Amino acid sequence: MSKETPAPAEADVLHRLSFLDRFLPVWIGVAMVAGLMLGRFVPGLQGVLEAVKIGEVSLPIALGLLLMMYPVLAKVRYDKLDTVTRDTTTLLLSLVLNWILGPALMFALAWAFLPDLPEYRTGLIIVGLARCIAMVIIWNDLACGDREAAAVLVALNSVFQVVMFGVLGWFYLDLLPGWLGLDTTAVQFSAWEIAGSVLVFLGIPLLAGYLSRRIGERSRGRDWYERRFLPVIGPVALYGLLFTIVILFALQGETITSQPLDVARIAVPLLLYFVVMWGGSYALGKASGLSYERTTTLAFTAAGNNFELAIAVAIGVFGVTSGQALAGVVGPLIEVPVLVGLVYVSLWLRRRWRARTGV
């Protein structure tokens, strides 16, 4: 699963990102401000949004969430799933990091930093359960990771989330806190609600993404699908995300402006999570004898999170005005600049790695 990728100059990393991806934290910040202004000057917005609902989610927000997820899942190379057994070391390490250590670390950080803020704490734990399936491809390519290995791990995570997200949600939000004697009475939820939200907001776009790739590649070929079709639908995910953020901040404006330090408290454990997961995964891959390319892929697939799904689940289960939804939105605001910085770190390590090995 290893292919050599030409190394980009460190100064060119940001320029290799698309214009939308390069300034994603800026767009999120603008959407937050726009939402706050909308909530201030358009009274009765919540009543308008909730006029038509799908379950407990208003129709406009539900459509925004589905549009946010579809382009992400249309990028996944599902045909790579049959190659996962070729590299058992990378596969097993990825499964352990993504589905055991990652959620456990976020659980620990959420309880350590937000013991008195149960809604935000729950939102962070949900972020920790949503394993990365989209932006990781970008970070991996920029850092000269193994593109084929990334495709395999992303495809695996996409399918695995449908099965495991609800189970792990029940374990980390209900069962484990009970075993540890932690008080969770401030947040009431049903594990079935989590599973239902995952089925709707991941299952539907997952099926649509799979069919898009299968039909598109059969009719026009992979080159057309990835060079023509994906660039056209790609920005839709960002538009769906920004729409959701605008609405969320419009409805939560009073809470946010009255408690700005709470947002900062959400950011701290997120920052630690991304750095610890990336650094630990990188060290583990190197210690296991993986090549630079596979070690890099392992690190980025373990550190990144599917914040689109985390936001969708938080809104679907707890509502758009919930603290859980706000915590999900803070996720990409912290993740994007941190992982861009880690791309530079990875490229620096690549030079040292090659200097030592002569490869």
Side-chain angles (χ1 to χ4, degrees), residues 118-138:
E119 289 192 359
Y120 298 151
R121 183 181 66 231
T122 301
L124 281 188
I125 293 173
I126 290 174
V127 171
L129 298 179
R131 312 314 302 166
C132 193
I133 60 174
M135 292 293 286
V136 66
I137 298 294
I138 297 175

Side-chain angles (χ1 to χ4, degrees), residues 215-292:
I215 294 171
E217 289 189 356
R218 279 192 172 185
S219 61
R220 304 292 296 273
R222 172 163 290 183
D223 186 71
W224 172 87
Y225 183 84
E226 297 195 343
R227 294 180 180 271
R228 299 290 185 88
F229 181 71
L230 289 183
V232 171
I233 67 168
V236 174
L238 176 61
Y239 301 149
L241 172 64
L242 296 180
F243 169 78
T244 303
I245 292 173
V246 168
I247 298 302
L248 188 150
F249 272 70
L251 299 180
Q252 294 211 41
E254 185 176 348
T255 300
I256 295 165
T257 54
S258 63
Q259 299 174 319
L261 290 179
D262 288 352
V263 176
R265 289 184 61 185
I266 296 171
V268 172
L270 281 168
L271 176 61
L272 289 174
Y273 172 84
F274 295 130
V275 172
V276 171
M277 280 299 296
W278 189 91
S281 302
Y282 195 97
L284 184 60
K286 193 172 188 305
S288 300
L290 298 181
S291 65
Y292 166 84

Side-chain angles (χ1 to χ4, degrees), residues 2-320:
S2 181
K3 289 184 179 180
E4 186 64 26
T5 307
E10 282 79 346
D12 293 336
V13 167
L14 287 179
H15 295 289
R16 297 184 69 207
L17 289 170
S18 71
F19 180 75
L20 292 175
D21 290 331
R22 192 185 315 165
F23 295 103
L24 182 55
V26 176
W27 309 140
I28 293 174
V30 171
M32 290 175 173
V33 173
L36 293 174
M37 298 297 291
L38 187 65
R40 183 177 180 87
F41 295 108
V42 182
L45 179 63
Q46 185 168 0
V48 174
L49 289 172
E50 294 185 349
V52 181
K53 287 187 173 183
I54 297 179
E56 295 300 318
V57 183
S58 74
L59 179 59
I61 295 174
L63 291 176
L65 296 174
L66 290 171
L67 289 175
M68 184 171 65
M69 290 296 300
Y70 165 67
V72 171
L73 293 159
K75 294 179 181 179
V76 176
R77 291 187 175 181
Y78 299 95
D79 60 323
K80 295 294 184 180
L81 279 171
D82 61 356
T83 68
V84 296
T85 57
R86 297 180 186 176
D87 184 1
T88 55
T89 300
T90 302
L91 173 64
L92 291 175
L93 288 177
S94 180
L95 288 174
V96 170
L97 288 165
N98 275 287
W99 298 102
I100 298 177
L101 297 182
L105 175 61
M106 188 68 90
F107 173 87
L109 290 171
W111 273 98
F113 284 88
L114 302 170
D116 57 328
L117 297 172
E119 289 192 359
Y120 298 151
R121 183 181 66 231
T122 301
L124 281 188
I125 293 173
I126 290 174
V127 171
L129 298 179
R131 312 314 302 166
C132 193
I133 60 174
M135 292 293 286
V136 66
I137 298 294
I138 297 175
W139 313 135
N140 181 73
D141 282 353
L142 290 174
C144 300
D146 188 321
R147 185 174 296 179
E148 186 176 346
V152 171
L153 297 179
V154 164
L156 183 66
N157 277 344
S158 300
V159 176
F160 213 68
Q161 282 185 95
V162 177
V163 179
M164 292 303 300
F165 196 105
V167 175
L168 290 175
W170 166 72
F171 177 78
Y172 281 105
L173 295 175
D174 187 16
L175 188 62
L176 184 58
W179 286 351
L180 298 176
L182 302 172
D183 183 15
T184 59
T185 56
V187 177
Q188 299 298 321
F189 70 96
S190 165
W192 291 109
E193 288 179 316
I194 293 179
S197 292
V198 172
L199 188 61
V200 171
F201 294 114
L202 179 60
I204 291 175
L206 178 65
L207 177 61
Y210 172 78
L211 292 176
S212 293
R213 180 171 281 277
R214 187 173 181 85
I215 294 171
E217 289 189 356
R218 279 192 172 185
S219 61
R220 304 292 296 273
R222 172 163 290 183
D223 186 71
W224 172 87
Y225 183 84
E226 297 195 343
R227 294 180 180 271
R228 299 290 185 88
F229 181 71
L230 289 183
V232 171
I233 67 168
V236 174
L238 176 61
Y239 301 149
L241 172 64
L242 296 180
F243 169 78
T244 303
I245 292 173
V246 168
I247 298 302
L248 188 150
F249 272 70
L251 299 180
Q252 294 211 41
E254 185 176 348
T255 300
I256 295 165
T257 54
S258 63
Q259 299 174 319
L261 290 179
D262 288 352
V263 176
R265 289 184 61 185
I266 296 171
V268 172
L270 281 168
L271 176 61
L272 289 174
Y273 172 84
F274 295 130
V275 172
V276 171
M277 280 299 296
W278 189 91
S281 302
Y282 195 97
L284 184 60
K286 193 172 188 305
S288 300
L290 298 181
S291 65
Y292 166 84
E293 290 76 15
R294 294 187 188 180
T295 296
T296 298
T297 298
L298 184 71
F300 280 104
T301 53
N305 285 87
N306 183 1
F307 51 78
E308 298 94 342
L309 178 61
I311 294 170
V313 170
I315 290 176
V317 176
F318 299 102
V320 72

